Amino acid sequence: EVQLEQSGAQVKKPGESLKISCEGSGYRFPSYWIGWVRQMPGKGLELMGIIYPGDSDIRYSPSFQGQVTISVDKSINTAYLQWSSLKASDTATYYCARLDSCFSCWYFDLWGRGTPVTVSS
Amino acid sequence: SYELTQPPSVSVSPGQTARITCSADTLPNQYVYWYQQKPGQAPLLVMFKDTRRPSGIPERFSGSSSGTTVTLTISGVQAEDEADYYCQSADNSGSYILFGGGTKLTVL
């Protein structure tokens, strides 16, 4: 079965660090971009950045550059999203999603179930 | 950069036709994709390349494009179609991938 398995819900305090994961299975993981999408409570979808597991090429959306780190370990088919110092405003559900791409087309055809992150003192 | 503009909400009665629009000046040169998100669930792709329906998506979902506006049409709306719908587009190189603000479809 083709799927993206995300790590579980997290409750953290402001200032703490966090790394969440997204493991792909059932397809050739290195050959597809993976994106991380934030959804704050009651709000819309925001793309944070994308990574190509084959060569670790990373593209951050301007709003998230310097705020998070996206990485990948293709040997275990897993992408990561990490924070060095969380803020209360990082409270959200974070989705990983596979990007299908061709010339002039980029879209998310497979989604993980999401990782809820709560940051509260 | 650019923005994708969607109406915040659309309401229809069961059996009627719902039309959700997505607008941007750049759309004549880019494809648009649509996602359905029900409460507590991950988004689901329901339309790609403006008018193409993924396997498993009901035929009542269709897409159209005209100039700077792309439309997701749901014919014969059912209660189960109540959800948030997001459009998404990108430039040719994937350097700019953007979601619209989302439209809440309410089935009265």
Side-chain angles (χ1 to χ4, degrees):
Chain A
E1 181 185 3
V2 178
Q3 63 179 357
L4 295 172
E5 188 71 32
Q6 295 192 233
S7 48
Q10 298 284 333
V11 180
K12 292 288 190 178
K13 291 179 168 36
E16 292 186 331
S17 63
L18 176 64
K19 190 174 188 178
I20 62 175
S21 66
C22 169
E23 180 181 1
S25 60
Y27 72 98
R28 183 167 165 72
F29 185 78
S31 299
Y32 289 82
W33 291 82
I34 291 288
W36 285 98
V37 177
R38 182 176 78 175
Q39 187 167 40
M40 300 176 75
K43 302 298 184 182
L45 305 174
E46 302 172 273
L47 179 65
M48 304 174 73
I50 60 175
I51 186 166
Y52 188 71
D55 60 6
S56 297
D57 185 13
I58 306 171
R59 303 174 186 178
Y60 291 98
S61 297
S63 299
F64 295 94
Q65 179 82 47
Q67 307 304 308
V68 295
T69 301
I70 294 172
S71 60
V72 69
D73 184 344
K74 67 179 180 181
S75 70
I76 56 171
N77 292 351
T78 301
Y80 302 96
L81 177 66
Q82 67 180 85
W83 296 259
S84 59
S85 181
L86 286 160
K87 303 183 284 289
S89 57
D90 293 317
T91 295
T93 295
Y94 294 88
Y95 294 98
C96 65
R98 185 180 77 171
L99 262 172
D100 198 359
S101 62
C102 59
F103 177 73
S104 77
C105 70
W106 296 79
Y107 61 98
F108 299 97
D109 67 342
L110 178 68
W111 292 72
R113 292 188 175 187
T115 296
V117 173
T118 302
V119 184
S120 175
S121 55
Chain B
S1 63
Y2 61 97
E3 293 184 357
L4 298 174
T5 300
Q6 299 182 235
S9 62
V10 169
S11 299
V12 296
S13 299
Q16 290 189 329
T17 297
R19 295 180 178 85
I20 301 171
T21 58
C22 178
S23 301
D25 290 343
T26 56
L27 288 187
N29 302 313
Q30 298 165 340
Y31 286 122
V32 167
Y33 310 90
W34 290 95
Y35 303 88
Q36 175 195 67
Q37 187 181 34
K38 296 181 179 179
Q41 296 185 18
L44 172 71
L45 181 71
V46 295
M47 198 67 56
F48 67 104
K49 289 188 177 180
D50 293 349
T51 62
R52 299 180 65 175
R53 196 173 54 248
S55 61
I57 301 303
E59 290 185 7
R60 63 181 180 272
F61 286 83
S62 64
S64 62
S65 177
S66 178
T68 59
T69 300
V70 177
T71 302
L72 175 70
T73 299
I74 310 171
S75 304
V77 166
Q78 300 182 7
E80 67 194 49
D81 300 328
E82 185 164 283
D84 294 324
Y85 291 84
Y86 296 91
C87 63
Q88 175 251 307
S89 191
D91 68 324
N92 288 344
S93 67
S95 297
Y96 293 100
I97 300 174
L98 185 65
F99 290 99
T103 298
K104 181 175 182 59
L105 174 65
T106 300
V107 181
L108 301 171

